[in-house]
C-alpha cells in the first residue's frame, strides 16, 4: 500500500529572527546616491556655526577688556575651527571638481581678463587712503539676498546680488590679496580676495577679470567687470563673504559689511 506524502508546511520564523534579518538587510543595503554628500555638508554647517560662535566670543571678550591670554586662547579656538572647515571643504570641492579647488589661477579655463592697458585707469584713487572699506560696485539695485530660495540654486543663495549693467566696474571691498581668479562653473568668471582677519570675499559672474592671483589690492580697486557668466539670468555681481575660499563656508555678507562701516542701500 502506498503511503501518502503530505507536503511539509514550513513553520513561521520567530519574530526576533524576522527582526534580525530585516536589520541585516538594511545594514547591507547600499547607501542612497546622495548620502556621501550629506555628511560633508552637515559637518561643514556645524563647523561654520561653531566658528561664528567662537568669533562672536572673541569680539565680546575684547569689548569687555578680558585678559590678553583669555582672548588669545579664544582666538586660537576660532582659528582651529576654521582650519578644520578649510580641510573638509578643500577635499570635498576637489572631489567635485570645483574650479576654486582644482584651478585657482584660472589658466585651465582661459578666463577672460581686462586688457593690461586698461587696468591702471580702471581704479583711479584706489590706494589713496581715503577709504578703508567700500561696496563692491556703484549705482546698484539689491536683488537676490543671502539664503534666498530660487530655482537657480541647489539650496539657498549663498551671497548678495547687486544688479548692475554689464561692464560696470567691480571693486574690492577692502584691502587684501587676490587668492583666486577662475572660471568654468556656476559662478562663471570669479575673483576671491583674502582680507586681514582671514575672511574671503567673492565677486562672481564677471564678464572680465582685472587682477591676478597673488596681487595685493586696496579698497575700491577694480577686480573685474560685471556680467552674466555662469548660472545667471542677467548682469549682476554676486558678492559673497566666506571663512575659507571654498563653497560651503559663506556667512551673511551685508552684516559683515556693516561691521566695516559700509552703508548698503536698497
Amino acid at each position: 500500500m502506498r503511503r501518502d506524502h503530505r507536503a511539509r508546511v514550513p513553520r513561521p520564523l520567530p519574530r526576533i529572527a524576522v527582526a534580525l534579518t530585516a536589520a541585516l538587510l538594511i545594514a547591507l543595503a547600499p547607501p542612497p546616491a546622495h548620502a556621501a554628500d550629506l555628511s560633508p555638508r552637515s559637518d561643514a554647517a556645524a563647523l561654520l556655526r561653531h566658528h561664528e560662535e567662537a568669533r562672536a566670543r572673541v569680539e565680546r571678550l575684547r569689548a569687555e577688556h578680558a585678559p590678553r591670554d583669555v582672548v588669545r586662547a579664544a582666538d586660537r579656538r576660532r582659528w582651529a575651527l576654521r582650519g578644520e572647515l578649510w580641510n573638509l571643504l578643500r577635499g570635498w570641492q576637489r572631489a567635485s571638481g570645483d574650479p576654486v579647488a582644482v584651478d585657482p589661477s584660472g589658466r585651465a579655463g582661459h578666463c577672460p581678463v581686462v586688457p593690461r592697458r586698461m587696468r591702471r585707469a580702471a581704479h583711479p584713487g584706489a590706494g589713496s587712503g581715503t577709504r578703508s572699506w567700500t561696496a563692491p560696485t556703484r549705482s546698484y539695485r539689491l536683488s537676490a539676498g543671502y539664503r534666498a530660495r530660487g530655482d537657480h540654486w541647489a539650496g539657498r543663495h549663498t551671497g548678495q546680488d547687486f544688479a548692475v549693467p554689464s561692464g560696470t566696474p567691480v571693486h574690492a571691498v577692502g584691502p587684501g590679496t587676490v587668492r583666486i581668479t577662475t572660471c568654468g562653473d556656476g559662478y562663471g568668471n570669479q575673483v576671491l580676495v583674502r582680507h586681514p582677519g582671514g575672511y574671503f570675499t567673492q565677486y562672481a559672474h564677471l564678464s572680465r577679470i582685472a587682477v591676478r592671483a597673488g596681487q595685493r589690492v586696496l579698497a575700491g580697486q577694480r577686480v573685474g567687470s560685471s556680467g552674466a557668466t555662469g548660472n545667471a539670468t542677467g548682469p549682476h555681481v554676486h558678492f559673497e563673504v566666506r571663512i575659507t575660499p571654498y563653497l560651503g563656508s559663506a556667512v551673511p555678507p551685508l552684516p559683515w559689511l556693516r561691521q566695516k562701516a559700509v552703508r548698503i542701500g536698497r
Side-chain angles (χ1 to χ4, degrees):
M1 181 181 291
R2 295 180 59 186
R3 214 181 257 187
D4 291 334
H5 294 278
R6 295 181 180 180
R8 294 183 179 180
V9 178
R11 294 180 180 179
L13 291 172
R15 290 184 179 180
I16 188 170
V18 173
L20 289 173
T21 303
L24 180 62
L25 291 174
I26 292 172
L28 294 177
H34 64 279
D37 294 335
L38 292 178
S39 180
R41 185 176 290 115
S42 59
D43 290 347
L47 284 170
L48 180 61
R49 184 175 64 256
H50 294 327
H51 176 277
E52 289 302 277
E53 290 171 353
R55 178 191 57 78
R57 182 170 185 268
V58 171
E59 292 177 354
R60 186 173 63 254
L61 289 171
R62 286 174 175 162
E64 295 171 352
H65 303 288
R68 185 174 300 178
D69 58 337
V70 174
V71 176
R72 285 178 177 174
D75 206 27
R76 283 195 298 269
R77 170 64 176 161
R78 177 181 77 88
W79 282 94
L81 289 166
R82 179 176 180 269
E84 290 183 48
L85 181 62
W86 187 302
N87 291 333
L88 172 66
L89 292 178
R90 178 173 55 187
W92 185 20
Q93 300 304 339
R94 279 181 177 174
S96 68
D98 185 351
V100 170
V102 299
D103 183 31
S105 67
R107 286 192 291 268
H110 305 292
C111 306
V113 298
V114 172
R116 187 180 298 274
R117 66 180 182 278
M118 295 174 58
R119 295 181 193 177
R120 185 175 299 276
H123 47 81
S128 63
T130 57
R131 292 180 297 183
S132 56
W133 295 89
T134 186
T137 190
R138 302 285 182 273
S139 302
Y140 54 81
R141 176 181 59 84
L142 294 181
S143 49
Y146 179 73
R147 303 270 310 158
R149 293 185 182 275
D151 297 334
H152 300 289
W153 315 298
R156 296 289 190 99
H157 194 227
T158 53
Q160 173 64 56
D161 287 349
F162 292 74
V164 289
S166 185
T168 301
V170 178
H171 311 286
V173 297
T177 302
V178 177
R179 169 85 183 197
I180 289 164
T181 60
T182 193
C183 57
D185 68 347
Y187 286 109
N189 306 323
Q190 60 177 307
V191 172
L192 282 99
V193 177
R194 179 173 181 169
H195 301 282
Y199 283 85
F200 293 80
T201 53
Q202 179 202 37
Y203 313 82
H205 304 305
L206 304 176
S207 59
R208 288 184 178 274
I209 295 170
V211 289
R212 62 184 183 279
Q215 178 179 339
R216 293 184 61 82
V217 293
L218 298 163
Q221 184 166 337
R222 186 174 183 175
V223 297
S225 303
S226 64
T229 57
N231 182 17
T233 58
H236 69 280
V237 181
H238 173 90
F239 175 73
E240 193 166 318
V241 179
R242 297 177 175 179
I243 295 172
T244 78
Y246 309 111
L247 178 66
S249 62
V251 298
L254 296 189
W256 189 85
L257 283 175
R258 292 188 190 107
Q259 290 178 348
K260 312 291 185 185
V262 178
R263 298 182 64 181
I264 300 295
R266 300 304 301 177

